[in-house]
Amino acid sequence: MRIGVLTGGGDCPGLNAVIRAVVRKGVEVYEHEFVGFRDGWRGPLEGVTMELGVPQVRGILPRGGTILGSSRTNPIKVDGGVERIEANLRELGIDALIAIGGEDTLGVATQLAEHGINVVGVPKTIDNDLGATDYTFGFDTAVQIAVDAIDRLHTTAESHHRALIVEVMGRHAGWIALHSGLAGGANVILIPERPFDIDLVCEYVTARFKRHYAPIIVVAEGAEPAEGTLALQAGELDAFGHVRLGGIGAVLEREIEARTGFESRQTVLGHVQRGGTPTAYDRILATRFGLHAIDAVHEGDSGVMVALRGTDIVRVPLADATRELKTVPLDRYAEAQVFFG
Ligand code: F6P
């Protein structure tokens, strides 16, 4: 078989580990051939490819990013996009696609599978917000990066008696904030699933200073104040209609300082959370996903995604992955609330 591989959406540590596992098992066990598509769905849409064999995947296991490149190109939004992809796959002699991506990339994969294109999905996102899989690779690395930052911020916060705000990624789901805040001993964690009350946040901050500790506030970029409490500015939209976020850390810095009188500073971790080498956990999860994805393609399966259930890798319908975002359940948030203030 001749199999196309692409990585779409925001990059994430572990993408290269998936590509390596797919190619190594595909070539060495099944004797398949591979074509690398560049920059997510832009590759199949515009017919932009690169060589993808065992030599190209040597040494990439610990490397962050993706050797294939990525983009947020949405071919469904392009006139005749699906037909152009079909024509390019036919011309290149591609029998099946492996699409490694998050909600948007797999949403496109679902629609292409409905058009009769053979496609197997692999879930990725540092946000851990994809339904149908317990965890996505990249999340563990992002959390570790945020925890390392929080550990460092504690000591400078104490030295200067400041409230330090750490803004982490997470548009609609607060998994990175919840896990890094819990592991890093945050004073309060703010997530999109639970609109926050700024007065309560300030109470936590003041209470922490009273006990001679400096507070760390971990906030997901998509966290919002409870309705009618604080006004936020709207950002621009990308090709999938997502708002470009960022800025809640600055709002908190200003408000906390003004309302409590304690000096406040924000740190926005941003894309640092997506860069660099994956943790061992993510390398293993990504590798296992890759091995199971190539098995699925080899067996002629399509319209499915590999997923983690407990410790097993299973196959689920692609549509299940994108039907609903996996957000933080409020009882999980309540566990963390014990440590607030
Ligand atoms: O979906 C992954 C993610 O890192 C989100 O956490 C974040 O909101 C978004 O991507 C940032 O996107 P971009 O790389 O386009 O700025």
Side-chain angles (χ1 to χ4, degrees), residues 18-73:
V18 180
I19 299 168
R20 168 182 174 269
V22 162
V23 171
R24 288 285 299 274
K25 186 163 189 185
V27 171
E28 291 165 6
V29 178
Y30 296 133
E31 299 181 353
H32 293 314
E33 270 177 43
F34 290 90
V35 171
F37 281 107
R38 301 293 323 228
D39 303 338
W41 290 114
R42 189 174 83 82
L45 184 68
E46 295 175 13
V48 194
T49 63
M50 64 174 263
E51 226 179 304
L52 187 61
V54 172
Q56 284 73 34
V57 300
R58 274 206 191 101
I60 68 171
L61 174 63
R63 254 174 69 190
T66 160
I67 59 164
L68 297 175
S70 193
S71 76
R72 293 195 189 275
T73 302

Side-chain angles (χ1 to χ4, degrees), residues 188-270:
V188 54
I189 302 166
L190 307 177
I191 61 173
E193 294 85 341
R194 182 77 190 260
F196 65 85
D197 173 350
I198 187 70
D199 289 329
L200 187 58
V201 172
C202 290
E203 270 175 38
Y204 289 144
V205 165
T206 309
R208 181 63 66 115
F209 276 120
K210 274 200 187 128
R211 294 199 304 278
H212 306 290
Y213 287 113
I216 302 282
I217 297 100
V218 175
V219 58
E221 60 183 343
E224 284 181 332
E227 218 183 307
T229 54
L230 269 178
L232 297 183
Q233 277 179 354
E236 28 175 307
L237 301 184
D238 69 13
F240 284 91
H242 301 301
V243 181
R244 186 183 285 181
L245 296 172
I248 190 67
V251 171
L252 288 168
E253 176 188 282
R254 193 183 59 226
E255 292 297 324
I256 291 172
E257 188 161 311
R259 290 165 187 248
T260 66
F262 289 108
E263 231 189 327
S264 306
R265 295 281 192 277
Q266 59 147 343
T267 301
V268 180
L269 292 183

Side-chain angles (χ1 to χ4, degrees), residues 10 72 125-127 169-171 221 238 244-245 271 274:
R72 293 195 189 275
T125 167
I126 63 163
D127 300 339
M169 280 186 168
R171 276 188 195 117
E221 60 183 343
D238 69 13
R244 186 183 285 181
L245 296 172
H271 293 81
R274 293 216 313 240

